[in-house]
Amino acid sequence: MSESAKQRATGRHQREQEARQVVDDIQLDRKRRDGRIGLGLLIAAVVLAVAAQWLFTALKPTDPAIVAAPDPALAENRTWTGTLTLNHDVTLEIEITGDTAPQAAANFIALSQSHFYDNTPCHRLTTEGIYVLQCGDPTGTGSGGPGYQFGPLENVPEDGVYRTGTIAMARAQAPDSMGSQFFIVYEDSPLPAPGYTVFGRVTGGMDQLQTKIVDSGVEQGIASPTDGPPAQPVTITGIELQ
């Protein structure tokens, strides 16, 4: 082969290599670009999924689905009757007075019907000076509630004495700080002004409350031997009203 033919063959071979390199570079660049697009799509999908999950969580209804004190009209301006069961074996017959305490009665009725009180503890028993069993706090700490507060006070005893069987709303210092907590009076108790809303009474079963819960006293080893968690743990296991 002549020298010129060799040169032409070498040049052709070099050009073929350069052409293959260009093709390889194009394919590599395409793969990288496709990879970036795929990664971008994956990231976008993850972000979308997280956003969808956040939206779903944010839009989940509260439990219970009561976010403010219910309309007093729910109490129907009448007396409701039913039962309040503690620990499955203490059944109290109760009356809820929608005519004299419509706002508190409507609140208790709505929370009961939504099963808010189911399996909540009665966290406080007092055995000196005042005689009450306090219930309705889902946290069992004395500071929990339904997520809202209401007032004003209703049906407060004029003489400041809360008779045996009274069911009244507990509250913080402010008169309009009622929520879900209530107390049952098991022995006549004087309470200071401005008082507490009386919205019902126990009409039967007080003897069971006394013997199965109150007589056990307050849990030992706490700051006060007469005011604290019941020694016999107490849980609301059912409320029926009609």
Side-chain angles (χ1 to χ4, degrees):
M1 180 182 295
S2 65
E3 186 64 30
S4 59
K6 289 181 179 180
Q7 290 176 345
R8 286 195 298 273
T10 301
R12 185 169 59 252
H13 180 67
Q14 184 175 354
R15 286 193 297 274
E16 289 173 352
Q17 285 185 323
E18 290 174 351
R20 283 196 296 270
Q21 184 63 48
V22 169
V23 171
D24 290 344
D25 289 345
I26 291 173
Q27 291 177 339
L28 180 60
D29 182 66
R30 183 177 298 163
K31 289 180 180 179
R32 288 172 176 168
R33 186 171 62 253
D34 291 346
R36 287 194 296 271
I37 292 173
L39 180 60
L41 290 173
L42 178 61
I43 293 173
V46 171
V47 170
L48 182 61
V50 171
Q53 179 62 37
W54 176 87
L55 180 62
F56 173 77
T57 301
L59 294 181
K60 284 180 63 178
T62 55
D63 186 16
I66 302 173
V67 295
D71 189 332
L74 177 65
E76 298 180 0
N77 195 36
R78 67 178 176 89
T79 297
W80 295 62
T81 60
T83 57
L84 190 162
T85 304
L86 306 174
N87 293 350
H88 297 288
D89 65 351
V90 176
T91 300
L92 305 179
E93 297 173 12
I94 61 174
E95 291 181 350
I96 303 302
T97 52
D99 51 347
T100 56
Q103 180 63 85
N107 182 67
F108 184 80
I109 293 164
L111 292 176
S112 298
Q113 291 177 341
S114 69
H115 303 287
F116 176 89
Y117 288 123
D118 289 1
N119 301 311
T120 59
C122 293
H123 62 278
R124 183 187 184 197
L125 178 68
T126 61
T127 59
E128 185 177 294
I130 60 174
Y131 306 93
V132 304
L133 176 68
Q134 188 166 328
C135 312
D137 175 4
T139 70
T141 64
S143 60
Y148 61 81
Q149 295 182 336
F150 68 90
L153 296 173
E154 303 172 286
N155 196 34
V156 177
E158 292 183 1
D159 61 0
V161 178
Y162 294 72
R163 307 297 177 188
T164 301
T166 294
I167 306 175
M169 291 299 301
R171 60 173 175 80
Q173 187 172 4
D176 60 353
S177 60
M178 293 175 281
S180 59
Q181 295 187 45
F182 63 93
F183 58 88
I184 299 169
V185 181
Y186 64 88
E187 185 177 326
D188 289 2
S189 300
L191 294 172
Y196 299 82
T197 292
V198 174
F199 68 94
R201 67 190 184 102
V202 177
T203 59
M206 289 297 291
D207 54 337
Q208 297 180 50
L209 181 67
Q210 183 72 46
T211 58
K212 295 185 177 181
I213 294 173
V214 174
D215 286 351
S216 297
V218 174
E219 182 180 295
Q220 299 301 303
I222 60 173
S224 170
T226 61
D227 186 347
Q232 170 61 53
V234 183
T235 300
I236 295 175
T237 50
I239 299 177
E240 299 289 338
L241 294 170
Q242 60 183 6

